[in-house]
């Protein structure tokens, strides 16, 4: 029964995300209401709030969970694991998370266009990006206190995340398929980590 309930929750969550993206594209972000998103997904507004706190959160639906998973990996690293190996594991896990959750939803042109064109969403994206990088840098520093200062950890995390994000944007800009975009991000992470070592 639990598996069925979980699958239903995943379907409802995806339905809300898809409905929101469709309505944002058709009507505009500001003009779309929560009630309209819920109705388009065939759920109540109350159900919407069981999944998201706001329509803004629909567009940043998995950032917090992904960050917590990465932080846990850093905090629970095996003793003696080299920094590069840990970062490769974290990068691979994050990319696999995206593929598992739904690469099409995460990298949909509609979602990316909205985030890049609506000032409030741009600001939210930048805030989340810098906050998550700083938290990851602090965790990396704490995991390797004798090897990395906080500023070195911040440099490493900024280089890694920046390379992956910009590579994804460049691949999408030239019209690569989602699978090609995903592979480009993977290559960017591997190359960056290799050069950091």
């Amino acid at each position: 029964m639990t598996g069925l309930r979980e699958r239903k929750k995943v379907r409802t969550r995806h339905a809300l995300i898809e409905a929101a993206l469709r309505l944002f594209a058709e009507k505009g972000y500001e003009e779309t209401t929560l009630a309209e998103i819920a109705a388009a997904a065939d759920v109540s507004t109350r159900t919407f709030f069981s999944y998201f706190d706001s329509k803004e959160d629909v567009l940043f639906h998995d950032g917090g969970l992904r960050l917590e998973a990465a932080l846990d990996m850093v905090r629970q690293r095996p003793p003696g694991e080299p920094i590069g190996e840990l970062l490769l594991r974290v990068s691979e896990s994050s990319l696999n998370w995206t593929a598992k959750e739904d690469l099409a939803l995460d990298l949909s042109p509609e979602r990316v266009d909205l985030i890049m064109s609506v000032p409030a969403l741009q600001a939210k994206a930048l805030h989340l990006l810098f906050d998550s990088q700083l938290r990851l840098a602090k965790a990396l520093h704490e995991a390797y206190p004798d090897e990395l200062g906080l500023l070195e950890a911040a440099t490493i995390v900024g280089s890694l995340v920046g390379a992956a994000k910009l590579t994804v944007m460049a691949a999408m800009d030239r019209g690569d398929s989602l699978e090609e975009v995903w592979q480009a991000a993977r290559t960017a992470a591997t190359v960056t980590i290799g050069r950091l070592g």
Side-chain angles (χ1 to χ4, degrees):
M1 190 62 106
T2 302
L4 179 63
R5 189 176 305 126
E6 283 305 311
R7 286 195 299 275
K8 185 178 179 191
K9 286 175 75 172
V10 168
R11 281 196 304 272
T12 301
R13 187 169 171 273
H14 280 215
L16 284 164
I17 295 167
E18 289 169 350
L21 289 173
R22 186 175 67 254
L23 287 169
F24 293 159
E26 290 169 6
K27 298 184 63 178
Y29 173 77
E30 298 293 346
E31 294 74 20
T32 301
T33 67
L34 294 177
E36 289 170 329
I37 295 169
D42 202 26
V43 299
S44 68
T45 303
R46 183 176 175 188
T47 299
F48 175 95
F49 285 113
S50 297
Y51 291 84
F52 304 104
D53 291 330
S54 68
K55 65 182 181 180
E56 188 179 80
D57 287 342
V58 175
L59 293 167
F60 301 99
H61 56 88
D62 69 343
L65 292 173
R66 193 184 315 194
L67 174 61
E68 287 306 319
L71 291 171
D72 284 345
M73 288 181 74
V74 172
R75 292 178 190 127
Q76 298 166 14
R77 74 175 180 96
E81 181 176 31
I83 296 167
E85 286 181 23
L86 173 62
L87 291 173
L88 277 173
R89 277 196 314 110
V90 169
S91 298
E92 190 68 26
S93 174
S94 182
L95 289 168
N96 286 339
W97 175 293
T98 301
K100 180 185 73 175
E101 280 296 298
D102 194 334
L103 192 61
L105 287 177
D106 196 49
L107 295 177
S108 73
E110 297 84 5
R111 178 178 181 265
V112 173
D113 287 346
L114 273 168
I115 292 170
M116 297 303 287
S117 63
V118 176
L121 298 176
Q122 284 179 327
K124 172 86 170 179
L126 278 175
H127 170 74
L128 292 173
L129 180 64
F130 290 133
D131 180 65
S132 62
Q133 287 182 85
L134 184 56
R135 288 180 64 193
L136 194 52
K138 286 178 178 176
L140 192 61
H141 165 60
E142 289 165 10
Y144 296 92
D146 298 329
E147 295 177 57
L148 283 179
L150 178 58
L151 299 185
E152 290 173 298
T155 299
I156 290 169
V157 170
S159 299
L160 178 58
V161 174
K165 294 272 185 197
L166 188 57
T167 298
V168 164
M169 296 300 291
M172 290 179 70
D173 190 59
R174 74 178 186 184
D176 287 5
S177 69
L178 291 177
E179 184 59 38
E180 289 169 328
V181 170
W182 183 76
Q183 190 55 52
R186 194 177 215 168
T187 300
T190 303
V191 168
T192 303
I193 291 166
R195 289 185 177 163
L196 290 171

